[in-house]
Amino acid sequence: MDSPEPSSIEDIFDSTLNLEETHLKEGYKEGYADGLVSGKEEGRQVGLKTGFEVGEELGFYRGCVDMWNSAIGVDPTCFSSRVMRTIKQMDDLLRKYPIEDPEDESVSEIMDSLRLKFRAICATLNVKLEYNGYPKVSDAEKNEF
């Protein structure tokens, strides 16, 4: 009958020795769970910001293409055939941009092509037009009429 007593003393010492490891495991589980929650929220915020920025840039290019197409409608000879072809290519790229599927692998390739074609058109037309993102308040004050 002496065997139950020593095993209970050993259990007490074992639990004391394993206390640090037990707390470490519990802390890891709690930290992991909290990290999942905060990581999802942070990812959501970054996704919203990035999506807004991409949409804004696409809108800028759409506005430029629409403006150039309107000018062509008024005077079909206002641009060279090369510029008109590049405008058409930009229009096609904007139409095929996968807005509904941001994980599509062609997203960065299409955006790079749009930027390149935009710069080519501006250079050919000798126009100082560029997309710098959302205008800052200080920039708006400098450009007052």
Side-chain angles (χ1 to χ4, degrees):
M1 294 257 171
D2 285 337
S3 64
E5 228 174 89
S7 73
S8 65
I9 292 174
E10 286 176 17
D11 288 343
I12 292 172
F13 286 126
D14 283 344
S15 65
T16 305
L17 293 173
N18 293 330
L19 187 62
E20 181 180 359
E21 185 177 328
T22 303
H23 285 293
L24 182 68
K25 287 179 182 177
E26 286 178 21
Y28 177 82
K29 286 179 186 176
E30 289 177 16
Y32 186 82
D34 289 347
L36 282 176
V37 170
S38 66
K40 284 181 182 178
E41 181 57 30
E42 184 178 334
R44 182 177 177 277
Q45 293 301 321
V46 169
L48 283 171
K49 181 179 182 287
T50 303
F52 179 82
E53 290 169 353
V54 168
E56 186 179 49
E57 187 173 0
L58 289 172
F60 173 78
Y61 295 138
R62 168 54 59 205
C64 291
V65 167
D66 288 349
M67 179 189 64
W68 292 326
N69 281 329
S70 293
I72 292 168
V74 171
D75 180 6
T77 62
C78 65
F79 300 127
S80 69
S81 61
R82 183 173 143 197
V83 169
M84 291 192 332
R85 187 173 50 251
T86 307
I87 292 169
K88 170 83 171 90
Q89 290 169 348
M90 273 188 80
D91 194 15
D92 293 341
L93 285 171
L94 286 165
R95 290 181 196 283
K96 78 176 195 177
Y97 189 90
I99 292 174
E100 297 294 322
D101 186 13
E103 293 181 11
D104 189 319
E105 294 177 12
S106 66
V107 165
S108 62
E109 182 182 315
I110 292 173
M111 190 60 86
D112 290 343
S113 294
L114 280 168
R115 290 174 182 141
L116 184 65
K117 291 183 184 315
F118 177 75
R119 285 194 304 267
I121 291 170
C122 289
T124 304
L125 297 177
N126 198 22
V127 175
K128 301 287 186 205
L129 183 63
E130 56 187 56
Y131 176 76
N132 291 326
Y134 193 72
K136 298 172 185 64
V137 175
S138 59
D139 292 341
E141 290 170 359
K142 290 178 190 174
N143 295 329
E144 286 186 20
F145 296 102

